[in-house]
Amino acid sequence: MSVQRKPKKQSAHSSQPPKQKSGKRLAPNLRAEQILKGAIRFFAAHGFSGQTRELASDLGISKGLLYRYFPSKEALIESVYQEVFLRRWSPTWQAVLTDRNRPLIERLKAFYADYAKLPLEYEWGRIYLYAGLAGASINRRYVRLANERIFRPVIDELRHEFGFRPIEQLEITEPEMELMWSLHGSIFYIGMRKWVYHVKAPSDIDGAVKQLVEGFYANARTMMHATLPRNMSL
Amino acid sequence: MSVQRKPKKQSAHSSQPPKQKSGKRLAPNLRAEQILKGAIRFFAAHGFSGQTRELASDLGISKGLLYRYFPSKEALIESVYQEVFLRRWSPTWQAVLTDRNRPLIERLKAFYADYAKLPLEYEWGRIYLYAGLAGASINRRYVRLANERIFRPVIDELRHEFGFRPIEQLEITEPEMELMWSLHGSIFYIGMRKWVYHVKAPSDIDGAVKQLVEGFYANARTMMHATLPRNMSL
DNA sequence: CTGTTTAATGAGCGTATGCTCAATAAGAAG
DNA sequence: CTTCTTATTGAGCATACGCTCATTAAACAG
């Protein structure tokens, strides 16, 4: 079992014929960040069945180095989830949605103009889909977040706007929830057209989102008046 | 090398210890069909990176047999596309949508109640997503089909209903197209909630689709009156 | 039964892929 | 320069995966 040391001379230079080198010997925190960002780009493009060899080659580093910073491919993917889905949630959204000094329709337009950037982004959308198809739990976690911080507050604001009981007094109905889902589905689908189907997306995305929010608002009013009991205080 | 014949009695009955055996030596057309159906189920669940070995094992046949009926995994996938996306298009949809003896809103509800079954189906939805993420051309082909046979006819019928010029005289506008996409996106997203995110879907799917169509119809009227030129003949 | 056809099998080939580890060298400190 | 630390490398292992092909046996004709 004696490992015969190979005298392999091969002195340093001769260097890199292949890709762009990263200026070797980075500080660990910088290298980790670089790998994570590269992994997001890579997995968004190739899915999670993409090979670690190819990812390393894209980054201009060796495959071994990858495993110095992330113990396994699975751990790397988990870090990708964290970075993509949880680090981008803006803390100001809550305040925007519930600021009753502004007209609700205006708040909704402002919020969705900003929020829609997430699902309309290439990396966010594709990784979200790959994760969902793979059965990862991140999607359910994200949906729970969106439900608590967007769906429920928006419905409560709509109730207030149109003169119905708040959701603490009258639980959210299925038609109300479906209307919320419909809005989010329509927004997400714009991204899918761009990043999954590669068909024409609207030239004016902000305008398209605005149109969706207006339609949502109008349909919400109609639907609530048709299905909710009148507020006693009126 | 004399292969010692094992006396393995096991006459027909006693049958399957491992999986469901397929009752061996099927007629070629039946076997091909069985493999194709199994492949649809399998790829919908595991994606196209699923292994042929596992597919064969699921079917209860050897991996070699798979390659007797389909020359390569790629060819099998192509057959899956054909079967899932092109064999399920109903020839009666056109007639339903354009039958001006019925009120348009009624036609729309009837059509989408039927059509929505496609994207809301487990296999259809997941395979459509996997194909799109893999960059297959089938999605673009499908979108072109939907555009010609659904989007354009529906917009033309809406124009007629609300008193605007037909699409041959006035090309479809971006807001009109976005409204169509929004409806389809909302429907598709119901399926995604079920088959991709595994979160709660509406208990009454037919009712949810009906609500979406009603909202779509109302928003279409508002939007057309706000953005299209009045019909000269009025 | 015998012979013929062909559906079906599974060992095995070449390559791909996640991951390890001994060796190497870049940079800092003296 | 020398010494020390540690970021970085890449050959290599074990297994996975698409696919082939020689062999086997089910069904049928005579």
Side-chain angles (χ1 to χ4, degrees), chain A residues 5 25 50-53 63 67 72-73:
Chain A
R5 187 74 35 82
R25 213 171 167 83
Q51 320 167 20
T52 54
R53 270 173 172 77
K63 55 198 156 72
Y67 287 89
S72 68
K73 187 183 183 181

PDB file of all heavy atoms in Angstrom, chain A residues 5 25 50-53 63 67 72-73, chain C residues 16-21 23 25-27:
ATOM      1  N   ARG A   5       5.178   8.210  -4.290  1.00  0.00           N
ATOM      2  CA  ARG A   5       5.132   9.627  -4.621  1.00  0.00           C
ATOM      3  C   ARG A   5       5.530   9.882  -6.063  1.00  0.00           C
ATOM      4  O   ARG A   5       6.638   9.598  -6.458  1.00  0.00           O
ATOM      5  CB  ARG A   5       6.086  10.404  -3.688  1.00  0.00           C
ATOM      6  CG  ARG A   5       6.016  11.894  -3.793  1.00  0.00           C
ATOM      7  CD  ARG A   5       4.761  12.373  -3.132  1.00  0.00           C
ATOM      8  NE  ARG A   5       4.419  11.541  -1.962  1.00  0.00           N
ATOM      9  CZ  ARG A   5       4.977  11.710  -0.762  1.00  0.00           C
ATOM     10  NH1 ARG A   5       5.833  12.666  -0.555  1.00  0.00           N
ATOM     11  NH2 ARG A   5       4.634  10.949   0.228  1.00  0.00           N
ATOM     12  N   ARG A  25      -6.161  32.602  -4.392  1.00  0.00           N
ATOM     13  CA  ARG A  25      -5.993  32.809  -2.956  1.00  0.00           C
ATOM     14  C   ARG A  25      -6.806  33.990  -2.421  1.00  0.00           C
ATOM     15  O   ARG A  25      -6.277  35.000  -1.952  1.00  0.00           O
ATOM     16  CB  ARG A  25      -4.506  32.991  -2.619  1.00  0.00           C
ATOM     17  CG  ARG A  25      -4.153  32.425  -1.252  1.00  0.00           C
ATOM     18  CD  ARG A  25      -2.667  32.407  -0.999  1.00  0.00           C
ATOM     19  NE  ARG A  25      -2.398  32.159   0.398  1.00  0.00           N
ATOM     20  CZ  ARG A  25      -2.364  30.953   0.946  1.00  0.00           C
ATOM     21  NH1 ARG A  25      -2.558  29.884   0.195  1.00  0.00           N
ATOM     22  NH2 ARG A  25      -2.131  30.807   2.230  1.00  0.00           N
ATOM     23  N   GLY A  50     -27.359  19.981 -12.411  1.00  0.00           N
ATOM     24  CA  GLY A  50     -26.095  20.449 -12.977  1.00  0.00           C
ATOM     25  C   GLY A  50     -24.912  19.900 -12.184  1.00  0.00           C
ATOM     26  O   GLY A  50     -25.030  19.651 -10.986  1.00  0.00           O
ATOM     27  N   GLN A  51     -23.790  19.723 -12.856  1.00  0.00           N
ATOM     28  CA  GLN A  51     -22.657  19.057 -12.226  1.00  0.00           C
ATOM     29  C   GLN A  51     -21.747  20.026 -11.476  1.00  0.00           C
ATOM     30  O   GLN A  51     -21.499  21.126 -11.936  1.00  0.00           O
ATOM     31  CB  GLN A  51     -21.800  18.346 -13.267  1.00  0.00           C
ATOM     32  CG  GLN A  51     -22.578  17.667 -14.347  1.00  0.00           C
ATOM     33  CD  GLN A  51     -21.705  17.245 -15.506  1.00  0.00           C
ATOM     34  OE1 GLN A  51     -20.494  17.132 -15.363  1.00  0.00           O
ATOM     35  NE2 GLN A  51     -22.320  17.016 -16.644  1.00  0.00           N
ATOM     36  N   THR A  52     -21.250  19.557 -10.337  1.00  0.00           N
ATOM     37  CA  THR A  52     -20.345  20.408  -9.562  1.00  0.00           C
ATOM     38  C   THR A  52     -19.048  20.683 -10.326  1.00  0.00           C
ATOM     39  O   THR A  52     -18.465  21.750 -10.183  1.00  0.00           O
ATOM     40  CB  THR A  52     -19.994  19.744  -8.218  1.00  0.00           C
ATOM     41  OG1 THR A  52     -19.489  18.435  -8.465  1.00  0.00           O
ATOM     42  CG2 THR A  52     -21.209  19.654  -7.326  1.00  0.00           C
ATOM     43  N   ARG A  53     -18.615  19.734 -11.140  1.00  0.00           N
ATOM     44  CA  ARG A  53     -17.418  19.961 -11.958  1.00  0.00           C
ATOM     45  C   ARG A  53     -17.595  21.185 -12.851  1.00  0.00           C
ATOM     46  O   ARG A  53     -16.722  22.030 -12.966  1.00  0.00           O
ATOM     47  CB  ARG A  53     -17.158  18.756 -12.865  1.00  0.00           C
ATOM     48  CG  ARG A  53     -16.277  17.682 -12.274  1.00  0.00           C
ATOM     49  CD  ARG A  53     -16.266  16.498 -13.224  1.00  0.00           C
ATOM     50  NE  ARG A  53     -15.303  15.479 -12.834  1.00  0.00           N
ATOM     51  CZ  ARG A  53     -15.491  14.618 -11.854  1.00  0.00           C
ATOM     52  NH1 ARG A  53     -16.606  14.671 -11.152  1.00  0.00           N
ATOM     53  NH2 ARG A  53     -14.565  13.717 -11.560  1.00  0.00           N
ATOM     54  N   LYS A  63     -12.698  21.655  -8.406  1.00  0.00           N
ATOM     55  CA  LYS A  63     -13.863  21.067  -7.732  1.00  0.00           C
ATOM     56  C   LYS A  63     -13.596  20.843  -6.255  1.00  0.00           C
ATOM     57  O   LYS A  63     -14.498  20.959  -5.436  1.00  0.00           O
ATOM     58  CB  LYS A  63     -14.274  19.769  -8.415  1.00  0.00           C
ATOM     59  CG  LYS A  63     -13.188  18.734  -8.545  1.00  0.00           C
ATOM     60  CD  LYS A  63     -13.527  17.672  -9.597  1.00  0.00           C
ATOM     61  CE  LYS A  63     -12.308  17.002 -10.159  1.00  0.00           C
ATOM     62  NZ  LYS A  63     -11.639  16.071  -9.219  1.00  0.00           N
ATOM     63  N   TYR A  67     -15.710  22.013  -2.208  1.00  0.00           N
ATOM     64  CA  TYR A  67     -16.065  21.193  -1.053  1.00  0.00           C
ATOM     65  C   TYR A  67     -15.353  21.634   0.214  1.00  0.00           C
ATOM     66  O   TYR A  67     -15.594  21.112   1.293  1.00  0.00           O
ATOM     67  CB  TYR A  67     -15.810  19.718  -1.364  1.00  0.00           C
ATOM     68  CG  TYR A  67     -16.847  19.175  -2.313  1.00  0.00           C
ATOM     69  CD1 TYR A  67     -16.659  19.243  -3.690  1.00  0.00           C
ATOM     70  CD2 TYR A  67     -18.033  18.658  -1.820  1.00  0.00           C
ATOM     71  CE1 TYR A  67     -17.626  18.775  -4.560  1.00  0.00           C
ATOM     72  CE2 TYR A  67     -19.000  18.181  -2.676  1.00  0.00           C
ATOM     73  CZ  TYR A  67     -18.799  18.247  -4.047  1.00  0.00           C
ATOM     74  OH  TYR A  67     -19.758  17.790  -4.902  1.00  0.00           O
ATOM     75  N   SER A  72     -21.268  19.638   0.998  1.00  0.00           N
ATOM     76  CA  SER A  72     -21.860  18.765  -0.012  1.00  0.00           C
ATOM     77  C   SER A  72     -22.660  19.617  -0.990  1.00  0.00           C
ATOM     78  O   SER A  72     -22.971  20.783  -0.719  1.00  0.00           O
ATOM     79  CB  SER A  72     -22.784  17.738   0.635  1.00  0.00           C
ATOM     80  OG  SER A  72     -23.919  18.387   1.166  1.00  0.00           O
ATOM     81  N   LYS A  73     -23.008  19.014  -2.086  1.00  0.00           N
ATOM     82  CA  LYS A  73     -23.831  19.718  -3.068  1.00  0.00           C
ATOM     83  C   LYS A  73     -25.159  20.124  -2.431  1.00  0.00           C
ATOM     84  O   LYS A  73     -25.665  21.219  -2.673  1.00  0.00           O
ATOM     85  CB  LYS A  73     -24.076  18.794  -4.265  1.00  0.00           C
ATOM     86  CG  LYS A  73     -24.775  19.454  -5.427  1.00  0.00           C
ATOM     87  CD  LYS A  73     -25.038  18.450  -6.537  1.00  0.00           C
ATOM     88  CE  LYS A  73     -25.681  19.120  -7.739  1.00  0.00           C
ATOM     89  NZ  LYS A  73     -25.978  18.159  -8.819  1.00  0.00           N
TER      90      LYS A  73
ATOM     91  P    DA C  16     -18.160  11.768 -20.434  1.00  0.00           P
ATOM     92  OP1  DA C  16     -18.649  12.784 -21.385  1.00  0.00           O
ATOM     93  OP2  DA C  16     -16.774  11.789 -19.941  1.00  0.00           O
ATOM     94  O5'  DA C  16     -19.138  11.764 -19.173  1.00  0.00           O
ATOM     95  C5'  DA C  16     -20.496  11.394 -19.378  1.00  0.00           C
ATOM     96  C4'  DA C  16     -21.251  11.494 -18.073  1.00  0.00           C
ATOM     97  O4'  DA C  16     -20.895  10.376 -17.214  1.00  0.00           O
ATOM     98  C3'  DA C  16     -21.003  12.747 -17.241  1.00  0.00           C
ATOM     99  O3'  DA C  16     -22.239  13.079 -16.617  1.00  0.00           O
ATOM    100  C2'  DA C  16     -19.942  12.292 -16.229  1.00  0.00           C
ATOM    101  C1'  DA C  16     -20.385  10.851 -15.980  1.00  0.00           C
ATOM    102  N9   DA C  16     -19.329   9.906 -15.595  1.00  0.00           N
ATOM    103  C8   DA C  16     -18.156   9.658 -16.252  1.00  0.00           C
ATOM    104  N7   DA C  16     -17.418   8.725 -15.684  1.00  0.00           N
ATOM    105  C5   DA C  16     -18.164   8.338 -14.575  1.00  0.00           C
ATOM    106  C6   DA C  16     -17.939   7.399 -13.565  1.00  0.00           C
ATOM    107  N6   DA C  16     -16.842   6.636 -13.501  1.00  0.00           N
ATOM    108  N1   DA C  16     -18.881   7.265 -12.608  1.00  0.00           N
ATOM    109  C2   DA C  16     -19.979   8.023 -12.676  1.00  0.00           C
ATOM    110  N3   DA C  16     -20.299   8.945 -13.576  1.00  0.00           N
ATOM    111  C4   DA C  16     -19.338   9.056 -14.511  1.00  0.00           C
ATOM    112  P    DT C  17     -22.479  14.498 -15.932  1.00  0.00           P
ATOM    113  OP1  DT C  17     -23.880  14.836 -16.164  1.00  0.00           O
ATOM    114  OP2  DT C  17     -21.399  15.396 -16.373  1.00  0.00           O
ATOM    115  O5'  DT C  17     -22.272  14.228 -14.378  1.00  0.00           O
ATOM    116  C5'  DT C  17     -23.108  13.286 -13.729  1.00  0.00           C
ATOM    117  C4'  DT C  17     -22.625  13.087 -12.312  1.00  0.00           C
ATOM    118  O4'  DT C  17     -21.568  12.096 -12.284  1.00  0.00           O
ATOM    119  C3'  DT C  17     -22.038  14.339 -11.638  1.00  0.00           C
ATOM    120  O3'  DT C  17     -22.727  14.565 -10.438  1.00  0.00           O
ATOM    121  C2'  DT C  17     -20.577  13.978 -11.385  1.00  0.00           C
ATOM    122  C1'  DT C  17     -20.661  12.464 -11.280  1.00  0.00           C
ATOM    123  N1   DT C  17     -19.391  11.735 -11.542  1.00  0.00           N
ATOM    124  C2   DT C  17     -19.048  10.675 -10.725  1.00  0.00           C
ATOM    125  O2   DT C  17     -19.741  10.299  -9.804  1.00  0.00           O
ATOM    126  N3   DT C  17     -17.860  10.067 -11.045  1.00  0.00           N
ATOM    127  C4   DT C  17     -16.994  10.412 -12.073  1.00  0.00           C
ATOM    128  O4   DT C  17     -15.947   9.787 -12.251  1.00  0.00           O
ATOM    129  C5   DT C  17     -17.409  11.527 -12.886  1.00  0.00           C
ATOM    130  C7   DT C  17     -16.547  11.990 -14.017  1.00  0.00           C
ATOM    131  C6   DT C  17     -18.568  12.129 -12.588  1.00  0.00           C
ATOM    132  P    DG C  18     -22.604  16.012  -9.639  1.00  0.00           P
ATOM    133  OP1  DG C  18     -23.927  16.647  -9.747  1.00  0.00           O
ATOM    134  OP2  DG C  18     -21.397  16.731 -10.107  1.00  0.00           O
ATOM    135  O5'  DG C  18     -22.361  15.552  -8.141  1.00  0.00           O
ATOM    136  C5'  DG C  18     -23.264  14.638  -7.522  1.00  0.00           C
ATOM    137  C4'  DG C  18     -22.608  14.008  -6.314  1.00  0.00           C
ATOM    138  O4'  DG C  18     -21.517  13.165  -6.772  1.00  0.00           O
ATOM    139  C3'  DG C  18     -21.997  14.996  -5.319  1.00  0.00           C
ATOM    140  O3'  DG C  18     -22.244  14.539  -3.989  1.00  0.00           O
ATOM    141  C2'  DG C  18     -20.511  14.964  -5.660  1.00  0.00           C
ATOM    142  C1'  DG C  18     -20.318  13.521  -6.128  1.00  0.00           C
ATOM    143  N9   DG C  18     -19.239  13.369  -7.093  1.00  0.00           N
ATOM    144  C8   DG C  18     -19.023  14.131  -8.215  1.00  0.00           C
ATOM    145  N7   DG C  18     -17.974  13.757  -8.897  1.00  0.00           N
ATOM    146  C5   DG C  18     -17.462  12.674  -8.188  1.00  0.00           C
ATOM    147  C6   DG C  18     -16.328  11.861  -8.441  1.00  0.00           C
ATOM    148  O6   DG C  18     -15.523  11.928  -9.377  1.00  0.00           O
ATOM    149  N1   DG C  18     -16.166  10.874  -7.464  1.00  0.00           N
ATOM    150  C2   DG C  18     -16.996  10.700  -6.390  1.00  0.00           C
ATOM    151  N2   DG C  18     -16.688   9.716  -5.559  1.00  0.00           N
ATOM    152  N3   DG C  18     -18.066  11.460  -6.142  1.00  0.00           N
ATOM    153  C4   DG C  18     -18.234  12.426  -7.075  1.00  0.00           C
ATOM    154  P    DC C  19     -21.845  15.471  -2.731  1.00  0.00           P
ATOM    155  OP1  DC C  19     -22.685  15.061  -1.588  1.00  0.00           O
ATOM    156  OP2  DC C  19     -21.821  16.872  -3.163  1.00  0.00           O
ATOM    157  O5'  DC C  19     -20.366  14.997  -2.427  1.00  0.00           O
ATOM    158  C5'  DC C  19     -20.140  13.594  -2.156  1.00  0.00           C
ATOM    159  C4'  DC C  19     -18.658  13.320  -2.088  1.00  0.00           C
ATOM    160  O4'  DC C  19     -18.068  13.399  -3.386  1.00  0.00           O
ATOM    161  C3'  DC C  19     -17.836  14.266  -1.206  1.00  0.00           C
ATOM    162  O3'  DC C  19     -17.410  13.537  -0.061  1.00  0.00           O
ATOM    163  C2'  DC C  19     -16.658  14.691  -2.083  1.00  0.00           C
ATOM    164  C1'  DC C  19     -16.698  13.669  -3.209  1.00  0.00           C
ATOM    165  N1   DC C  19     -16.153  14.123  -4.510  1.00  0.00           N
ATOM    166  C2   DC C  19     -15.101  13.410  -5.087  1.00  0.00           C
ATOM    167  O2   DC C  19     -14.642  12.431  -4.507  1.00  0.00           O
ATOM    168  N3   DC C  19     -14.593  13.815  -6.279  1.00  0.00           N
ATOM    169  C4   DC C  19     -15.113  14.885  -6.881  1.00  0.00           C
ATOM    170  N4   DC C  19     -14.591  15.240  -8.068  1.00  0.00           N
ATOM    171  C5   DC C  19     -16.190  15.634  -6.319  1.00  0.00           C
ATOM    172  C6   DC C  19     -16.679  15.222  -5.127  1.00  0.00           C
ATOM    173  P    DT C  20     -16.375  14.166   0.987  1.00  0.00           P
ATOM    174  OP1  DT C  20     -16.764  13.617   2.299  1.00  0.00           O
ATOM    175  OP2  DT C  20     -16.269  15.621   0.779  1.00  0.00           O
ATOM    176  O5'  DT C  20     -15.004  13.489   0.565  1.00  0.00           O
ATOM    177  C5'  DT C  20     -14.938  12.078   0.408  1.00  0.00           C
ATOM    178  C4'  DT C  20     -13.477  11.645   0.323  1.00  0.00           C
ATOM    179  O4'  DT C  20     -12.945  11.987  -0.983  1.00  0.00           O
ATOM    180  C3'  DT C  20     -12.537  12.281   1.351  1.00  0.00           C
ATOM    181  O3'  DT C  20     -11.617  11.279   1.785  1.00  0.00           O
ATOM    182  C2'  DT C  20     -11.841  13.375   0.543  1.00  0.00           C
ATOM    183  C1'  DT C  20     -11.753  12.740  -0.834  1.00  0.00           C
ATOM    184  N1   DT C  20     -11.695  13.671  -1.993  1.00  0.00           N
ATOM    185  C2   DT C  20     -10.758  13.463  -2.973  1.00  0.00           C
ATOM    186  O2   DT C  20      -9.956  12.565  -2.955  1.00  0.00           O
ATOM    187  N3   DT C  20     -10.808  14.368  -4.004  1.00  0.00           N
ATOM    188  C4   DT C  20     -11.680  15.429  -4.141  1.00  0.00           C
ATOM    189  O4   DT C  20     -11.622  16.174  -5.112  1.00  0.00           O
ATOM    190  C5   DT C  20     -12.630  15.589  -3.074  1.00  0.00           C
ATOM    191  C7   DT C  20     -13.611  16.711  -3.128  1.00  0.00           C
ATOM    192  C6   DT C  20     -12.598  14.714  -2.052  1.00  0.00           C
ATOM    193  P    DC C  21     -10.797  11.482   3.150  1.00  0.00           P
ATOM    194  OP1  DC C  21     -11.003  10.248   3.927  1.00  0.00           O
ATOM    195  OP2  DC C  21     -11.113  12.800   3.745  1.00  0.00           O
ATOM    196  O5'  DC C  21      -9.295  11.530   2.632  1.00  0.00           O
ATOM    197  C5'  DC C  21      -8.941  10.881   1.407  1.00  0.00           C
ATOM    198  C4'  DC C  21      -7.585  11.388   0.928  1.00  0.00           C
ATOM    199  O4'  DC C  21      -7.787  12.357  -0.140  1.00  0.00           O
ATOM    200  C3'  DC C  21      -6.762  12.125   1.984  1.00  0.00           C
ATOM    201  O3'  DC C  21      -5.395  11.899   1.723  1.00  0.00           O
ATOM    202  C2'  DC C  21      -7.090  13.587   1.727  1.00  0.00           C
ATOM    203  C1'  DC C  21      -7.146  13.566   0.195  1.00  0.00           C
ATOM    204  N1   DC C  21      -7.930  14.672  -0.368  1.00  0.00           N
ATOM    205  C2   DC C  21      -7.685  15.073  -1.697  1.00  0.00           C
ATOM    206  O2   DC C  21      -6.828  14.482  -2.353  1.00  0.00           O
ATOM    207  N3   DC C  21      -8.406  16.092  -2.209  1.00  0.00           N
ATOM    208  C4   DC C  21      -9.331  16.700  -1.450  1.00  0.00           C
ATOM    209  N4   DC C  21     -10.026  17.693  -2.003  1.00  0.00           N
ATOM    210  C5   DC C  21      -9.583  16.302  -0.101  1.00  0.00           C
ATOM    211  C6   DC C  21      -8.863  15.300   0.384  1.00  0.00           C
ATOM    212  P    DA C  23       1.696  12.880  -0.146  1.00  0.00           P
ATOM    213  OP1  DA C  23       2.661  11.905  -0.673  1.00  0.00           O
ATOM    214  OP2  DA C  23       1.787  13.359   1.245  1.00  0.00           O
ATOM    215  O5'  DA C  23       1.683  14.141  -1.114  1.00  0.00           O
ATOM    216  C5'  DA C  23       1.346  13.937  -2.487  1.00  0.00           C
ATOM    217  C4'  DA C  23       1.251  15.276  -3.174  1.00  0.00           C
ATOM    218  O4'  DA C  23       0.096  15.991  -2.676  1.00  0.00           O
ATOM    219  C3'  DA C  23       2.459  16.207  -2.961  1.00  0.00           C
ATOM    220  O3'  DA C  23       2.865  16.710  -4.224  1.00  0.00           O
ATOM    221  C2'  DA C  23       1.926  17.306  -2.052  1.00  0.00           C
ATOM    222  C1'  DA C  23       0.457  17.338  -2.443  1.00  0.00           C
ATOM    223  N9   DA C  23      -0.436  17.850  -1.410  1.00  0.00           N
ATOM    224  C8   DA C  23      -0.534  17.430  -0.104  1.00  0.00           C
ATOM    225  N7   DA C  23      -1.429  18.075   0.602  1.00  0.00           N
ATOM    226  C5   DA C  23      -1.969  18.984  -0.309  1.00  0.00           C
ATOM    227  C6   DA C  23      -2.969  19.957  -0.184  1.00  0.00           C
ATOM    228  N6   DA C  23      -3.645  20.188   0.944  1.00  0.00           N
ATOM    229  N1   DA C  23      -3.272  20.685  -1.285  1.00  0.00           N
ATOM    230  C2   DA C  23      -2.604  20.449  -2.415  1.00  0.00           C
ATOM    231  N3   DA C  23      -1.639  19.558  -2.645  1.00  0.00           N
ATOM    232  C4   DA C  23      -1.373  18.846  -1.548  1.00  0.00           C
ATOM    233  P    DA C  25       3.930  23.761  -6.861  1.00  0.00           P
ATOM    234  OP1  DA C  25       3.921  23.764  -8.334  1.00  0.00           O
ATOM    235  OP2  DA C  25       5.168  23.440  -6.113  1.00  0.00           O
ATOM    236  O5'  DA C  25       3.390  25.166  -6.363  1.00  0.00           O
ATOM    237  C5'  DA C  25       2.076  25.578  -6.731  1.00  0.00           C
ATOM    238  C4'  DA C  25       1.651  26.715  -5.835  1.00  0.00           C
ATOM    239  O4'  DA C  25       1.380  26.210  -4.504  1.00  0.00           O
ATOM    240  C3'  DA C  25       2.702  27.812  -5.642  1.00  0.00           C
ATOM    241  O3'  DA C  25       2.031  29.043  -5.511  1.00  0.00           O
ATOM    242  C2'  DA C  25       3.351  27.449  -4.328  1.00  0.00           C
ATOM    243  C1'  DA C  25       2.107  26.986  -3.580  1.00  0.00           C
ATOM    244  N9   DA C  25       2.372  26.169  -2.411  1.00  0.00           N
ATOM    245  C8   DA C  25       3.365  25.250  -2.227  1.00  0.00           C
ATOM    246  N7   DA C  25       3.336  24.669  -1.051  1.00  0.00           N
ATOM    247  C5   DA C  25       2.249  25.242  -0.423  1.00  0.00           C
ATOM    248  C6   DA C  25       1.687  25.054   0.853  1.00  0.00           C
ATOM    249  N6   DA C  25       2.158  24.191   1.748  1.00  0.00           N
ATOM    250  N1   DA C  25       0.603  25.793   1.161  1.00  0.00           N
ATOM    251  C2   DA C  25       0.115  26.658   0.260  1.00  0.00           C
ATOM    252  N3   DA C  25       0.565  26.915  -0.966  1.00  0.00           N
ATOM    253  C4   DA C  25       1.644  26.163  -1.246  1.00  0.00           C
ATOM    254  P    DA C  26       2.399  30.249  -6.493  1.00  0.00           P
ATOM    255  OP1  DA C  26       1.997  29.874  -7.864  1.00  0.00           O
ATOM    256  OP2  DA C  26       3.795  30.633  -6.184  1.00  0.00           O
ATOM    257  O5'  DA C  26       1.453  31.411  -5.978  1.00  0.00           O
ATOM    258  C5'  DA C  26       0.062  31.173  -5.810  1.00  0.00           C
ATOM    259  C4'  DA C  26      -0.435  31.870  -4.554  1.00  0.00           C
ATOM    260  O4'  DA C  26      -0.108  31.064  -3.398  1.00  0.00           O
ATOM    261  C3'  DA C  26       0.174  33.247  -4.314  1.00  0.00           C
ATOM    262  O3'  DA C  26      -0.851  34.108  -3.854  1.00  0.00           O
ATOM    263  C2'  DA C  26       1.228  32.992  -3.219  1.00  0.00           C
ATOM    264  C1'  DA C  26       0.569  31.855  -2.443  1.00  0.00           C
ATOM    265  N9   DA C  26       1.501  30.946  -1.775  1.00  0.00           N
ATOM    266  C8   DA C  26       2.609  30.352  -2.300  1.00  0.00           C
ATOM    267  N7   DA C  26       3.234  29.557  -1.455  1.00  0.00           N
ATOM    268  C5   DA C  26       2.489  29.639  -0.299  1.00  0.00           C
ATOM    269  C6   DA C  26       2.627  29.030   0.974  1.00  0.00           C
ATOM    270  N6   DA C  26       3.609  28.184   1.293  1.00  0.00           N
ATOM    271  N1   DA C  26       1.711  29.334   1.913  1.00  0.00           N
ATOM    272  C2   DA C  26       0.728  30.177   1.600  1.00  0.00           C
ATOM    273  N3   DA C  26       0.486  30.815   0.448  1.00  0.00           N
ATOM    274  C4   DA C  26       1.415  30.492  -0.469  1.00  0.00           C
ATOM    275  P    DG C  27      -0.756  35.682  -4.020  1.00  0.00           P
ATOM    276  OP1  DG C  27      -2.100  36.166  -4.388  1.00  0.00           O
ATOM    277  OP2  DG C  27       0.407  35.979  -4.875  1.00  0.00           O
ATOM    278  O5'  DG C  27      -0.425  36.186  -2.533  1.00  0.00           O
ATOM    279  C5'  DG C  27      -1.423  36.067  -1.539  1.00  0.00           C
ATOM    280  C4'  DG C  27      -0.792  35.982  -0.179  1.00  0.00           C
ATOM    281  O4'  DG C  27       0.112  34.860  -0.105  1.00  0.00           O
ATOM    282  C3'  DG C  27       0.039  37.198   0.238  1.00  0.00           C
ATOM    283  O3'  DG C  27      -0.687  37.875   1.251  1.00  0.00           O
ATOM    284  C2'  DG C  27       1.369  36.618   0.762  1.00  0.00           C
ATOM    285  C1'  DG C  27       1.023  35.146   0.932  1.00  0.00           C
ATOM    286  N9   DG C  27       2.137  34.214   0.798  1.00  0.00           N
ATOM    287  C8   DG C  27       2.935  34.007  -0.308  1.00  0.00           C
ATOM    288  N7   DG C  27       3.847  33.085  -0.123  1.00  0.00           N
ATOM    289  C5   DG C  27       3.634  32.655   1.184  1.00  0.00           C
ATOM    290  C6   DG C  27       4.329  31.663   1.938  1.00  0.00           C
ATOM    291  O6   DG C  27       5.283  30.954   1.593  1.00  0.00           O
ATOM    292  N1   DG C  27       3.792  31.545   3.214  1.00  0.00           N
ATOM    293  C2   DG C  27       2.744  32.284   3.698  1.00  0.00           C
ATOM    294  N2   DG C  27       2.358  32.020   4.949  1.00  0.00           N
ATOM    295  N3   DG C  27       2.089  33.210   3.016  1.00  0.00           N
ATOM    296  C4   DG C  27       2.585  33.339   1.760  1.00  0.00           C
TER     297       DG C  27
END
